[in-house]
Tab-separated table of all heavy atoms in Angstrom:
chain	number	residue	atom	x	y	z
A	275	VAL	N	14.160	4.664	-8.244
A	275	VAL	CA	13.044	5.668	-8.286
A	275	VAL	C	11.687	4.972	-8.285
A	275	VAL	O	10.747	5.406	-7.620
A	275	VAL	CB	13.226	6.532	-9.534
A	275	VAL	CG1	12.001	7.418	-9.761
A	275	VAL	CG2	14.483	7.433	-9.431
A	276	SER	N	11.593	3.876	-9.008
A	276	SER	CA	10.344	3.125	-9.049
A	276	SER	C	9.963	2.583	-7.644
A	276	SER	O	8.843	2.680	-7.213
A	276	SER	CB	10.426	1.996	-10.058
A	276	SER	OG	9.232	1.277	-10.114
A	277	ARG	N	10.979	2.069	-6.950
A	277	ARG	CA	10.691	1.492	-5.632
A	277	ARG	C	10.392	2.649	-4.633
A	277	ARG	O	9.580	2.423	-3.705
A	277	ARG	CB	11.884	0.711	-5.132
A	277	ARG	CG	12.125	-0.609	-5.876
A	277	ARG	CD	13.072	-1.522	-5.090
A	277	ARG	NE	14.340	-0.909	-4.831
A	277	ARG	CZ	15.418	-0.993	-5.641
A	277	ARG	NH1	15.300	-1.629	-6.811
A	277	ARG	NH2	16.541	-0.402	-5.321
A	278	LEU	N	11.030	3.779	-4.726
A	278	LEU	CA	10.713	4.898	-3.866
A	278	LEU	C	9.237	5.294	-4.061
A	278	LEU	O	8.499	5.527	-3.055
A	278	LEU	CB	11.603	6.103	-4.164
A	278	LEU	CG	13.054	6.045	-3.676
A	278	LEU	CD1	13.879	7.179	-4.237
A	278	LEU	CD2	13.074	6.088	-2.137
A	279	LYS	N	8.785	5.388	-5.304
A	279	LYS	CA	7.417	5.727	-5.516
A	279	LYS	C	6.442	4.673	-5.023
A	279	LYS	O	5.389	4.976	-4.456
A	279	LYS	CB	7.192	6.004	-7.028
A	279	LYS	CG	7.990	7.194	-7.546
A	279	LYS	CD	7.704	7.483	-9.002
A	279	LYS	CE	8.496	8.719	-9.434
A	279	LYS	NZ	8.163	9.153	-10.818
A	280	SER	N	6.819	3.433	-5.215
A	280	SER	CA	5.970	2.301	-4.733
A	280	SER	C	5.860	2.355	-3.184
A	280	SER	O	4.779	2.129	-2.627
A	280	SER	CB	6.554	0.980	-5.161
A	280	SER	OG	5.830	-0.109	-4.602
A	281	LYS	N	6.954	2.658	-2.517
A	281	LYS	CA	6.983	2.669	-1.029
A	281	LYS	C	6.176	3.809	-0.463
A	281	LYS	O	5.429	3.660	0.508
A	281	LYS	CB	8.382	2.693	-0.542
A	281	LYS	CG	9.172	1.387	-0.632
A	281	LYS	CD	10.617	1.516	-0.187
A	281	LYS	CE	11.278	0.129	0.012
A	281	LYS	NZ	11.245	-0.706	-1.156
A	282	ILE	N	6.279	5.011	-1.097
A	282	ILE	CA	5.459	6.144	-0.564
A	282	ILE	C	3.966	5.875	-0.806
A	282	ILE	O	3.130	6.242	0.033
A	282	ILE	CB	5.933	7.437	-1.114
A	282	ILE	CG1	5.301	8.605	-0.351
A	282	ILE	CG2	5.588	7.540	-2.618
A	282	ILE	CD1	5.617	8.643	1.107
A	283	LEU	N	3.636	5.279	-1.931
A	283	LEU	CA	2.210	4.923	-2.185
A	283	LEU	C	1.735	3.887	-1.164
A	283	LEU	O	0.606	3.944	-0.703
A	283	LEU	CB	2.057	4.397	-3.601
A	283	LEU	CG	2.244	5.432	-4.742
A	283	LEU	CD1	2.064	4.781	-6.067
A	283	LEU	CD2	1.290	6.574	-4.564
A	284	SER	N	2.617	2.933	-0.797
A	284	SER	CA	2.301	1.943	0.197
A	284	SER	C	1.993	2.621	1.560
A	284	SER	O	1.070	2.243	2.263
A	284	SER	CB	3.427	0.918	0.353
A	284	SER	OG	3.164	-0.002	1.410
A	285	ILE	N	2.799	3.677	1.928
A	285	ILE	CA	2.585	4.390	3.148
A	285	ILE	C	1.220	5.070	3.114
A	285	ILE	O	0.455	5.006	4.084
A	285	ILE	CB	3.712	5.399	3.394
A	285	ILE	CG1	5.033	4.685	3.711
A	285	ILE	CG2	3.360	6.408	4.472
A	285	ILE	CD1	6.190	5.604	3.859
A	286	LEU	N	0.865	5.698	2.002
A	286	LEU	CA	-0.416	6.356	1.907
A	286	LEU	C	-1.551	5.348	1.995
A	286	LEU	O	-2.589	5.602	2.631
A	286	LEU	CB	-0.491	7.094	0.551
A	286	LEU	CG	0.431	8.311	0.378
A	286	LEU	CD1	0.260	8.924	-0.993
A	286	LEU	CD2	0.222	9.336	1.440
Side-chain angles (χ1 to χ4, degrees):
V275 170
S276 182
R277 291 195 302 271
L278 283 171
K279 295 184 179 186
S280 175
K281 283 177 168 57
I282 191 61
L283 291 179
S284 174
I285 289 176
L286 294 179

